[in-house]
Amino acid sequence: MVRFSGAALGLALAATQPALAQTAAPAPPLIGCTGPFAKDASEATLIAAFGKANVKREDIDTAEGATEKGNIIFGGDDKRRIEVLWHDTAKRRRPSSIILRDPSGWRVAVPGQPGTTIGIGSDLAAVEAANGKAFQLYGFEWDMGGYAAGWKGGRLDTPEGGCSLSLRFGPDDKAKEAALTKVAGDKLFASNAPAMRAVRPRVGQITLGWPE
């Protein structure tokens, strides 16, 4: 029998059932590395949580144009879409990455901060506040551009369940080229640096990862 944490069970139910009350704004759908996405999860746990019709086998884009065999949940709905890659691709078990891309509506709970979440569209200030301290991220306009380079011992170092959290930021579409040039390339910038804040980066991709 697959057992879900309360948060994971709520995640699955929120994905498959309509809202029962309209008197208050619904809580954002949460995703974490527990329940159907725990370290020992498999394609079977995804199907149990989300239904066989919503879990498809597909090749998923990874770095630099490469693809890997994985599963996509809610592939027809960009707001609910979840991509899952596996350490054991043959048996589709032991997730290596759970990926959310813009415009996903899923949110990640911040450890030790009840009610606080981050998601696609969160800005640098919000992520710093969630982490409890500044961090570093790579400059833009190259293959690894915009990735956070760890959390410096902050709260985001330890997501619920014990996996890792990776965020990739993108600059504002209206950022001026002169400002972008100051924060471009294969080098690290402080998240609270004025030059980085000037291009108003926001989260464009979230990855929860399990080591081998």
Side-chain angles (χ1 to χ4, degrees):
M1 177 184 295
V2 177
R3 293 185 180 275
F4 299 150
S5 69
L9 182 58
L11 177 156
L13 293 175
T16 57
Q17 295 183 357
L20 298 179
Q22 301 297 327
T23 57
L30 298 180
I31 190 169
C33 44
T34 58
F37 304 109
K39 189 174 184 177
D40 60 352
S42 66
E43 182 182 62
T45 68
L46 303 185
I47 291 172
F50 302 105
K52 188 173 183 179
N54 297 316
V55 180
K56 302 297 184 182
R57 295 182 175 184
E58 294 192 28
D59 290 341
I60 296 173
D61 292 332
T62 56
E64 300 180 9
T67 62
E68 291 184 25
K69 295 184 183 299
N71 288 88
I72 293 180
I73 305 166
F74 300 122
D77 184 345
D78 288 345
K79 295 289 287 185
R80 295 195 295 167
R81 180 186 175 99
I82 305 169
E83 300 175 8
V84 183
L85 297 173
W86 306 99
H87 287 298
D88 185 343
T89 56
K91 296 183 177 180
R92 296 178 185 266
R93 61 184 184 182
R94 294 186 291 111
S96 60
S97 300
I98 300 107
I99 305 166
L100 309 176
R101 305 182 195 268
D102 189 16
S104 174
W106 295 102
R107 308 282 294 183
V108 177
V110 177
Q113 298 289 298
T116 301
T117 64
I118 55 175
I120 300 296
S122 293
D123 62 20
L124 280 178
V127 177
E128 274 188 10
N131 192 46
K133 59 171 62 181
F135 55 95
Q136 291 182 309
L137 64 158
Y138 284 99
F140 303 109
E141 301 185 337
W142 68 293
D143 289 342
M144 299 298 291
Y147 277 103
W151 303 109
K152 304 295 183 182
R155 285 187 287 262
L156 299 182
D157 257 337
T158 54
E160 180 186 359
C163 63
S164 64
L165 172 67
S166 172
L167 301 182
R168 190 175 195 180
F169 293 81
D172 189 282
D173 290 341
K174 297 180 180 179
K176 295 181 178 179
E177 188 61 34
L180 280 170
T181 299
K182 295 179 181 179
V183 288
D186 182 7
K187 48 190 172 182
L188 289 170
F189 297 86
S191 59
N192 57 1
M196 182 56 72
R197 290 294 182 92
V199 301
R200 302 179 297 281
R202 292 182 178 274
V203 175
Q205 180 176 315
I206 299 172
T207 303
L208 294 167
W210 284 110
E212 180 60 79

